[in-house]
Amino acid sequence: MNATLDPAAIDELVVEFAAEHHCPSIVWGVVLGGESGGESGGGLAAHGSTGTVEGAAPTERTVYRIASMTKSFSAAVTLLLRDEGAIELEAPIGHYARELAHLRSPTSDAPAITVRDLLCMSSGLVADDPWADRHLDLTDDEFDRIVQRGLVFAHPTGACHEYSNFGFALLGRVIHRATGIRLRHHVTDRLLTPLGLTATTWDQPDHDDWARPMRWAEDGWTCESPTPPDGMIAPMGGIWTTVADLAGWSAWLADAFPARDDHDPGPLRRSSRREMQTPQRYVGQRTLRGIRLPTSYGYGLRVLDDPEHGTVIMHSGGLPGYGSSMRWTPGGAIAVVTVANVTYAPMTELGARIHDLVHAQGAIPDPPALVAPAVGTLAGRLI
């Protein structure tokens, strides 16, 4: 642990936040790294929790559902398949799934939806929260009936960002048609297993160390309806996992920076991981801890321009009974993960506050240089 990191101060912040936002439990974790993206495997520099799960304090190994943070896993395996030549990002989705070929935005001059459009939220499909959150278990037949009736577009395809969960359901169908294998199996076999993320699954845990979904009603907690099991919409939000596994996932993605010549262990090559974290579509501004931040969308990840911390990569998740967030800086100087088990818990805000606190403690290592060494040398000569 970094000598100046004070976990007790983070715990105090988390306890206050849980009381303010009625969270029955919260688990948090911080990864601190250096020049090559953090401790090997994303080891936690500090972690803690508040509240209880089934009468016991939750730990970094307690399982929560992470909702839309699943999109980063779905996007990563799509790029892995792209790198292998199984999928082309610029191909219209109807090229792989003929039943999707008729899906076009209302204007005749708009282009066909491509795989890239689904990944970066530029398909034009109308935002569908919270409907999609409650239909993760959509069957193939139900999906087909929705598609056959036609979908609602908010914008012409390719014109701008519009967050669409159903777009990732379409992505799941494209991958299934292109490879004969469902997206969830690609993610498990090609990413989770090689990376050792053994607690990360697409199905509700078969043990007791998992956080039950809760909601706050008037002056007390009550059990939330169980979240639906894996189905056609699950590529947008179906994964169950732990803070420990999310720390490893975040550190692995952050370790794609900087570009370098040393060994690339995969399973998704570093250049493709950097591509995921590169702005593809401008979103607009969002407010975190009272600060307005320019925001873009990469592939399954958001990219924030933070005046205090510079570039921050993140994604959040929310379902009935759950809220989650992960954020990191390129190169892995810091990653912060937070999860809670109350409906749409604002974990993005908590993650930003923890980031601020660790920064104020002076505990974040200097980030790696993200420019080519020769450029830095030449720039130094000009000063």
Side-chain angles (χ1 to χ4, degrees), residues 141-163:
D141 288 344
E142 290 168 335
F143 172 89
D144 288 334
R145 285 196 291 270
I146 290 172
V147 167
Q148 289 165 7
R149 289 197 299 266
L151 304 179
V152 178
F153 287 78
H155 308 282
T157 297
C160 61
H161 173 274
E162 177 83 2
Y163 193 86

Side-chain angles (χ1 to χ4, degrees), residues 79-158:
L79 291 190
L80 190 155
L81 293 169
R82 185 277 311 271
D83 292 348
E84 294 177 344
I87 288 176
E88 295 181 8
L89 298 193
E90 303 303 337
I93 59 176
H95 175 75
Y96 300 105
R98 286 181 294 178
E99 67 272 26
L100 308 181
H102 71 285
L103 296 178
R104 300 292 292 260
S105 57
T107 61
S108 60
D109 61 352
I113 301 172
T114 66
V115 177
R116 186 186 302 277
D117 287 321
L118 300 180
L119 285 171
C120 67
M121 304 293 184
S122 62
S123 67
L125 292 172
V126 69
D128 48 18
D129 290 327
W131 175 85
D133 297 343
R134 290 154 174 81
H135 292 84
L136 287 165
D137 59 347
L138 203 71
T139 67
D140 284 58
D141 288 344
E142 290 168 335
F143 172 89
D144 288 334
R145 285 196 291 270
I146 290 172
V147 167
Q148 289 165 7
R149 289 197 299 266
L151 304 179
V152 178
F153 287 78
H155 308 282
T157 297

